[in-house]
């Protein structure tokens, strides 16, 4: 099976299991970039069964040394590759999971910094547009992601119960 064909099938599988459109696009983009790398390296289309563990290792090295990707970006790409090859192997698109023995990429944990309640209130008070101020307050008080807030429907808000139903949230 052509690698491009398997990427398309994998994207359809992700849609079937209700992955978010953002996740599907990110996985598709990661795999498509890997495919481009392989096509340039081998000067032609790639078949899934021809991809070896060494190709994955070389690609991750390329992302680090040539593209200058940070560890967290390479870790995300590795997660995409692992998910893809695990699915491909389970569905017998290939004879082995060539990503199974790849070493994890270590990332330094960044200490998160948060705004104080006073800083948040100063920020919100500085917003002149009423709707944008309401969105900022909603994000702050609920911990919602921006896309979750933007996708809210009137039917998702239950004022009497002080409840908001978030669809397709993380």
């Amino acid at each position: 099976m052509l690698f491009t064909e398997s990427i398309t099938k994998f994207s359809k599988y992700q849609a079937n299991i209700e992955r978010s459109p953002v996740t599907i696009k990110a996985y598709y983009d990661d795999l498509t970039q890997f495919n481009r790398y392989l096509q340039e390296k081998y000067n032609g289309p790639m078949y899934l069964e021809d991809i070896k563990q060494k190709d994955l290792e070389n690609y991750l090295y390329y992302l680090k040394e040539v593209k200058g990707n940070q560890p967290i970006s390479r870790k995300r790409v590795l997660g995409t590759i692992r998910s893809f090859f695990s699915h491909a192997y389970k569905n017998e698109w290939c004879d082995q999971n060539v990503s199974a023995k790849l070493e994890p990429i270590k990332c330094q944990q960044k200490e998160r910094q948060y705004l104080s309640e006073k800083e948040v209130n100063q920020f919100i008070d500085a917003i002149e547009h009423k709707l944008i101020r309401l969105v900022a307050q909603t994000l702050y008080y609920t911990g919602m992601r921006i896309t979750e807030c933007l996708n809210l429907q009137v039917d998702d808000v239950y004022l009497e119960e002080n409840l908001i139903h978030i669809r397709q949230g993380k």
Side-chain angles (χ1 to χ4, degrees), residues 9 33 40 61 73 75 87 97 102 104 109 139 142 170:
K9 288 174 81 170
Q33 288 175 19
E40 287 178 20
Y61 181 80
S73 297
K75 184 176 183 174
H87 179 76
N97 180 349
L102 290 175
Q109 290 290 345
L139 293 172
T142 64
K170 288 191 174 185

Side-chain angles (χ1 to χ4, degrees), residues 34 48-57 81-82 84-86 89 94-102:
F34 178 47
L48 184 58
E49 53 272 10
D50 292 336
I51 300 172
K52 305 295 180 218
Q53 180 178 330
K54 195 70 178 164
D55 292 317
L56 303 177
E57 292 169 350
I81 288 170
R82 283 191 169 150
F84 170 80
F85 279 100
S86 174
Y89 177 67
C94 55
D95 295 334
Q96 61 178 327
N97 180 349
V98 294
S99 71
K101 294 182 182 178
L102 290 175

Side-chain angles (χ1 to χ4, degrees), residues 11-107:
S11 293
K12 288 178 183 175
Y13 158 74
Q14 288 184 309
N16 285 340
I17 62 168
E18 303 297 328
R19 293 279 191 257
S20 79
V22 174
T23 299
I24 295 168
K25 183 180 180 337
Y27 276 46
Y28 180 84
D29 291 347
D30 287 345
L31 293 168
T32 300
Q33 288 175 19
F34 178 47
N35 183 52
R36 267 191 233 116
Y37 165 84
L38 292 172
Q39 286 181 334
E40 287 178 20
K41 181 178 178 179
Y42 293 111
N43 198 28
M46 285 299 296
Y47 286 88
L48 184 58
E49 53 272 10
D50 292 336
I51 300 172
K52 305 295 180 218
Q53 180 178 330
K54 195 70 178 164
D55 292 317
L56 303 177
E57 292 169 350
N58 289 340
Y59 180 62
L60 293 170
Y61 181 80
Y62 164 82
L63 290 176
K64 178 182 180 183
E65 297 299 324
V66 177
K67 293 297 228 177
N69 287 13
Q70 295 296 311
I72 193 72
S73 297
R74 295 190 324 271
K75 184 176 183 174
R76 185 185 56 75
V77 170
L78 177 57
T80 297
I81 288 170
R82 283 191 169 150
S83 179
F84 170 80
F85 279 100
S86 174
H87 179 76
Y89 177 67
K90 285 178 194 171
N91 286 277
E92 299 178 355
W93 300 348
C94 55
D95 295 334
Q96 61 178 327
N97 180 349
V98 294
S99 71
K101 294 182 182 178
L102 290 175
E103 293 290 325
I105 295 172
K106 294 181 183 175
C107 295

